[in-house]
């Protein structure tokens, strides 16, 4: 009888570990170079790059922010809708200008341009503080 209970405890522990670790495995990001983006459309990725341009034209916070990172090897557009922009503690057009950032999210092909749509500010991490 004691062996049966030990087996049950082991199964319970194993199942508990699987349940706890599954969300982390599901959210894992593949680190990708800008030059390799076209091979990862639809994947959850992490990419790092220098901010080249930031477009934001509305003082009422109702238009999206578009950040482009990249170099000659490739580029990525980062879309921040106004509803998400309101969650940022900084103004992206000021905080990320001419900085290197790391972006995580699902890579989409938007009319031939690689894009990640931000749904949470934690998807953008400032790499340097120049």
């Amino acid at each position: 009888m004691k062996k049966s209970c030990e087996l049950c405890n082991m199964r319970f522990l194993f199942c508990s570990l699987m349940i706890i670790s599954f969300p982390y495995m599901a959210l894992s990001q593949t680190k990708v170079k800008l030059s390799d983006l076209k091979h990862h459309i639809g994947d959850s990725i992490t990419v790092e790059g220098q901010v080249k341009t930031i477009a934001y034209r509305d003082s009422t916070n109702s238009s999206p922010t578009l950040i482009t990172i990249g170099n000659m090897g490739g580029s990525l557009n980062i879309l921040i809708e106004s509803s998400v922009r309101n969650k940022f503690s900084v103004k992206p057009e000021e905080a990320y200008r001419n900085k290197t950032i790391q972006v995580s999210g699902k890579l989409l092909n938007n009319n031939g341009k690689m894009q990640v749509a931000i749904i949470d500010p934690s998807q953008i991490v400032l790499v340097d503080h120049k």
Side-chain angles (χ1 to χ4, degrees), residues 53-68 77-82 85 91-94 97:
T53 62
I54 300 177
Y56 176 69
R57 298 184 184 92
D58 189 357
S59 61
T60 64
N61 287 340
S62 63
S63 72
T65 303
L66 185 66
I67 301 172
T68 302
N77 290 332
I78 302 153
L79 178 66
I80 306 171
E81 293 290 351
S82 60
R85 180 185 166 83
K91 293 180 180 178
E93 70 275 11
E94 294 173 7
R97 186 168 309 283

Side-chain angles (χ1 to χ4, degrees), residues 1-17:
M1 185 78 167
K2 189 173 182 176
K3 288 234 182 225
S4 177
C5 288
E6 287 177 11
L7 184 58
C8 289
N9 287 339
M10 295 278 287
R11 285 182 184 162
F12 176 77
L13 180 61
F14 177 75
C15 289
S16 297
L17 288 173

Side-chain angles (χ1 to χ4, degrees), residues 43-55:
D43 293 343
S44 290
I45 59 139
T46 296
V47 66
E48 186 175 301
Q50 175 79 27
V51 172
K52 296 299 178 191
T53 62
I54 300 177

Side-chain angles (χ1 to χ4, degrees), residues 34 47-52 69-71 99-103 127:
L34 284 166
V47 66
E48 186 175 301
Q50 175 79 27
V51 172
K52 296 299 178 191
I69 63 172
N71 54 36
K99 304 289 185 185
T100 299
I101 59 174
Q102 188 175 73
V103 180
V127 175

Side-chain angles (χ1 to χ4, degrees), residues 106-119:
K106 185 173 182 179
L107 181 64
L108 304 172
N109 183 341
N110 185 8
N111 296 320
K113 305 238 182 204
M114 300 298 107
Q115 177 178 298
V116 168
I118 300 301
I119 59 174

